[in-house]
Structures are given as structure tokens and as C-alpha cells.
Amino acid sequence: SGKALTGSQVDDAALVAQSIAKPQSWKRWIILVLATLAIFGPYYSFDNPAGTAETLKENFGVPLRTNMNSTSAQNATVAGFNTRFNLLYSLYSFPNTVLPL
């Protein structure tokens, strides 16, 4: 029991089909690049503090490596730095656990 479309309805349907036609390829590439950058940005900035650990150790005079011959003071210095750096990293990422709620 389908109804026949009137002339104006057919014209309206043709206009709708034209408006949702495939966009030009250059617009699609621009949208793809922008979407990729939008996804890449947060991942880069979230992992960036991990890349600064070695530089911060050098600036604060903390030994980069410890081994069996390291003194207890050196080990304590490294352990203290690692604790503080991990706390900084935790505080940095904590809002990301709360914001989605």
C-alpha cells in the first residue's frame, strides 16, 4: 500500500541526494589530516613527560644508572628522584581519570 510520490517530492528527494553526494577528494583529505592530528596530539603530550626523565636526572645531578658498585647514597638519590618523578607523572595524568566521569 505504497503511495506514489508527487513531482515536488521527487524534486525534494533529488535535492537531498545531491546535498549528501560524495564530497570532493581534497576536502576529504583535509578532514583526514585534521582528524589524525587531533588524535595524535593528546597521545604525544601524554607520553612527553616520560621523555624528560633522563634530562631531569642530568639537570638535578642524579646518576643515570646504578649498579652493584653504586653507593647507598647514590641509590637513595636515584630512588628519591624516581619516586618524585612518578608522583609528578601520576598527578599529571590524574585529571584524565576524573574528567570522563
Side-chain angles (χ1 to χ4, degrees):
S1 73
K3 295 181 180 179
L5 296 176
T6 64
S8 65
Q9 289 174 329
V10 171
D11 291 340
D12 290 343
L15 288 174
V16 169
Q18 286 177 353
S19 68
I20 60 173
K22 187 176 177 181
Q24 294 179 1
S25 64
W26 66 271
K27 290 179 184 177
R28 294 174 69 190
W29 282 106
I30 289 175
I31 291 171
L32 177 65
V33 169
L34 292 176
T36 303
L37 291 174
I39 292 170
F40 175 75
Y43 285 111
Y44 177 77
S45 64
F46 182 75
D47 290 335
N48 197 22
T52 61
E54 299 292 320
T55 305
L56 287 173
K57 281 184 180 182
E58 289 176 5
N59 287 337
F60 289 121
V62 177
L64 295 178
R65 308 275 186 268
T66 57
N67 56 33
M68 296 292 289
N69 298 325
S70 298
T71 64
S72 60
Q74 288 173 329
N75 290 336
T77 303
V78 171
F81 175 83
N82 288 339
T83 301
R84 288 184 188 99
F85 183 78
N86 289 332
L87 178 63
L88 173 68
Y89 202 66
S90 297
L91 293 175
Y92 170 77
S93 60
F94 179 72
N96 294 327
T97 62
V98 178
L99 288 176
L101 302 176

